[in-house]
Amino acid sequence: MSKRAIEIGIMLPESEWEMAGQTAGWADFSAMAQTIEGGGFDSLWFADHLQMKLPDGKVQGAWEAWAILAAFAATTSRIEIGPFVSPTSYRNPAMLVKAAETIDEISGGRFVFGIGSGWAEPEYHTFGLPYDHRAGRFEEALEIVTKLVREGEVDFHGTWYEVNEVVNRPRGPRPEGMPIMIGTFNGERMMRLTAQHADHWNIWANAFGNRAASIEPIQRQMDRYCAEIGRDPKTLKRSAAVFVDFEGTYGRPGQPVPSLTGTARELADEYLRYAEAGVDLLQLYPDPCTVEGIKRCAEALEFL
């Protein structure tokens, strides 16, 4: 990791509209990953979506996230890699651990196991997945995931999931388990589960307005949840997704919060304000999300 006051990562485009109506292929993603690794960033993140619709009704597709993450793991050597985030309701949670452990092995111990409850209701209906009781389903999936990652085995019989004497073998390069990141908005139940079980908490830009000045209340809310269970709040790593726009942007349909804009120094100053608010890592979501957009993001790193 860098010695900057705050870590900086990049989130890559998973869908077609973020590439100006064109689908990024592996050659595009590989070039972006090499730019991230060579440009001094700390991490690379890839959203786990299946199929979405634009406001005009057009379908937008997405590559399968876990396959892409394995390719990133094999073709980079320094940066951390993780899904941003993977809904446990899309896949059997024990199988998800198998995939995560495999990618952690490929990466040499650079994988961050990012998970969440999911939110994109149309995807669930399109693929025939249950959308009801998402928090309850996530809580059961989380128990399976944490036991397999941290203890190496689980036998679980719940309302939504059942696994029978599953053993997490073979293990990747970290016998103690890879870090588990939970992504939330600002719902109490998910935040409490994060305080209780996660190594790393991520908050999405929409939940706090995409500005450092407005993230403080939700940070203190998480501090309270940690304190209530006797956990030192400082032991929970904090990250925030942040929209950043440059000239000639493609735009994100339906984006409800304003993006960060400005010179490299102005952007760096805002990133440092996040650090002052207790954020350890920013996952920048640049527009345009291309090699050029990533290079523009890198310009601010020298001021950190």
Side-chain angles (χ1 to χ4, degrees), residues 78-155:
R78 180 186 61 81
I79 52 176
E80 287 190 321
I81 296 164
F84 194 86
V85 291
S86 189
T88 54
S89 45
Y90 285 177
R91 304 166 185 84
N92 177 284
M95 292 296 294
L96 203 59
V97 173
K98 291 290 287 184
E101 202 76 55
T102 301
I103 296 176
D104 199 40
E105 168 67 17
I106 294 169
S107 71
R110 294 180 289 120
F111 187 74
V112 179
F113 198 174
I115 54 176
S117 63
W119 61 270
E121 185 173 0
E123 291 187 317
Y124 286 83
H125 297 318
T126 299
F127 283 81
L129 300 170
Y131 189 72
D132 63 311
H133 302 285
R134 283 177 300 128
R137 293 176 189 274
F138 178 77
E139 189 166 3
E140 287 193 3
L142 182 60
E143 182 170 346
I144 294 169
V145 165
T146 53
K147 285 186 175 179
L148 280 174
V149 169
R150 293 174 179 153
E151 300 174 21
E153 58 185 57
V154 65
D155 189 75

Side-chain angles (χ1 to χ4, degrees), residues 246-247 261-269 271 296 299-300 303:
F246 300 105
E247 299 89 349
T261 59
T263 66
R265 183 54 192 260
E266 288 169 340
L267 291 172
D269 287 344
Y271 302 161
R296 292 294 305 275
E299 294 171 4
F303 298 107

Side-chain angles (χ1 to χ4, degrees), residues 16-184:
E16 295 169 285
W17 61 262
E18 291 161 303
M19 288 291 292
Q22 300 178 2
T23 303
W26 171 243
D28 301 299
F29 286 129
S30 179
M32 292 183 211
Q34 296 308 311
T35 303
I36 292 167
E37 177 137 295
F41 294 97
D42 299 289
S43 52
L44 179 160
W45 306 87
F46 195 85
D48 187 5
H49 281 296
L50 306 174
Q51 178 178 302
M52 305 280 279
K53 282 188 178 181
L54 297 173
D56 62 7
K58 292 181 180 179
V59 172
Q60 66 176 36
W63 296 112
E64 203 286 317
W66 286 80
I68 291 286
L69 288 164
F72 286 142
T75 54
T76 60
S77 61
R78 180 186 61 81
I79 52 176
E80 287 190 321
I81 296 164
F84 194 86
V85 291
S86 189
T88 54
S89 45
Y90 285 177
R91 304 166 185 84
N92 177 284
M95 292 296 294
L96 203 59
V97 173
K98 291 290 287 184
E101 202 76 55
T102 301
I103 296 176
D104 199 40
E105 168 67 17
I106 294 169
S107 71
R110 294 180 289 120
F111 187 74
V112 179
F113 198 174
I115 54 176
S117 63
W119 61 270
E121 185 173 0
E123 291 187 317
Y124 286 83
H125 297 318
T126 299
F127 283 81
L129 300 170
Y131 189 72
D132 63 311
H133 302 285
R134 283 177 300 128
R137 293 176 189 274
F138 178 77
E139 189 166 3
E140 287 193 3
L142 182 60
E143 182 170 346
I144 294 169
V145 165
T146 53
K147 285 186 175 179
L148 280 174
V149 169
R150 293 174 179 153
E151 300 174 21
E153 58 185 57
V154 65
D155 189 75
F156 183 85
H157 305 271
T159 302
W160 314 111
Y161 295 105
E162 177 177 329
V163 293
N164 301 289
E165 299 179 355
V166 176
V167 179
N168 186 11
R169 294 185 62 87
R171 297 302 298 263
R174 292 183 278 189
E176 74 283 2
M178 69 203 92
I180 296 172
M181 180 182 86
I182 296 179
T184 75

